[in-house]
Amino acid sequence: MRGFAAVHRGPAVTFGFSEGANYRIVSRLGCGRLELPRVREGRTGAGVAFKTKLPGRHNVLNLALHRCGRRDGRRAALFAQAVSSIEPTKMRGRVIERDGFVILDDCYNSNPAAAKAMIDALRQLPGRSAWWPCSARCELGKQSAALHREVGRAAAEAGVALIVGVGGDAKEIVAGAVEAGSPQASVAFFVTAAEPAKR
């Protein structure tokens, strides 16, 4: 984005998690703060803090983008109130606590970028270790195997302790995780969901 800002003839505003951003996002699980170094009138602004039920840094980034559109620093309280009321939809990043486990329900047919974002979110959840039961992502065409391996490598590099692939190219997720250093004992592949349920 910095490269785009350098060649763009009009005004450009950068935002993100880095210290060099015009609008910096400071986040932790379930909340964030958008720091507004300068508001439209030229005064220094303290920013706006918000909480969200949507997990992951990518969701904090998306929400902050909407706030960046109002560079005058107004209506911050309304923004924070609206963000706190957003509920994740079914199978799209819902956090469930049950029997001492924290479950991140993200079971829809996502794409590789979304899967990697949720792997990052999974590692941010409280707990001693992260387990990831995963199925194949459909409709990826000729690049499907390579993209699944890429996601598997991302899971291994994020330190996911147990990866269980179920069906189709989920076997490539498992293979990618092993390539990236996951021990063979911490990964498994099953053709159908009924198989691991019997173990």
Side-chain angles (χ1 to χ4, degrees):
M1 287 301 168
R2 289 185 183 278
F4 177 79
V7 300
H8 179 55
R9 295 182 180 180
V13 176
T14 60
F15 78 101
F17 295 100
S18 67
E19 291 187 9
N22 295 129
Y23 293 80
R24 185 187 177 205
I25 304 156
V26 181
S27 71
R28 59 184 185 272
L29 183 67
C31 59
R33 172 175 284 280
L34 179 61
E35 296 181 344
L36 308 175
R38 293 203 171 275
V39 295
R40 185 169 294 165
E41 295 82 356
R43 297 192 300 269
T44 299
V48 54
F50 57 89
K51 292 184 178 181
T52 175
K53 297 175 185 176
L54 304 179
R57 284 161 53 93
H58 63 295
N59 277 317
V60 172
L61 191 66
N62 288 337
L63 293 169
L65 172 61
H66 289 283
R67 182 60 200 156
C68 286
R70 297 193 61 89
R71 289 187 288 160
D72 57 6
R74 299 173 194 165
R75 303 173 71 86
L78 287 177
F79 168 79
Q81 182 180 358
V83 165
S84 68
S85 67
I86 299 173
E87 294 278 353
T89 57
K90 186 178 181 181
M91 299 190 296
R92 296 292 294 265
R94 181 170 294 181
V95 178
I96 303 166
E97 296 187 32
R98 184 173 297 167
D99 299 328
F101 289 90
V102 180
I103 302 166
L104 180 54
D105 178 9
D106 198 60
C107 298
Y108 75 106
N109 183 31
S110 71
N111 57 60
K116 285 189 277 188
M118 277 301 167
I119 290 167
D120 182 58
L122 178 65
R123 292 302 300 140
Q124 294 176 45
L125 293 175
R128 289 179 296 178
S129 63
W131 300 354
W132 185 36
C134 55
S135 60
R137 271 66 187 157
C138 302
E139 303 166 0
L140 294 179
K142 294 180 180 179
Q143 298 299 314
S144 180
L147 291 170
H148 279 82
R149 280 187 178 243
E150 183 181 312
V151 171
R153 285 192 291 271
E157 290 164 3
V160 176
L162 176 65
I163 301 170
V164 179
V166 179
D169 275 346
K171 64 180 180 293
E172 301 293 344
I173 293 177
V174 171
V178 172
E179 287 176 0
S182 287
Q184 194 68 51
S186 69
V187 301
F189 172 75
F190 300 94
V191 176
T192 68
E195 293 178 60
K198 295 175 182 177
R199 298 293 179 98

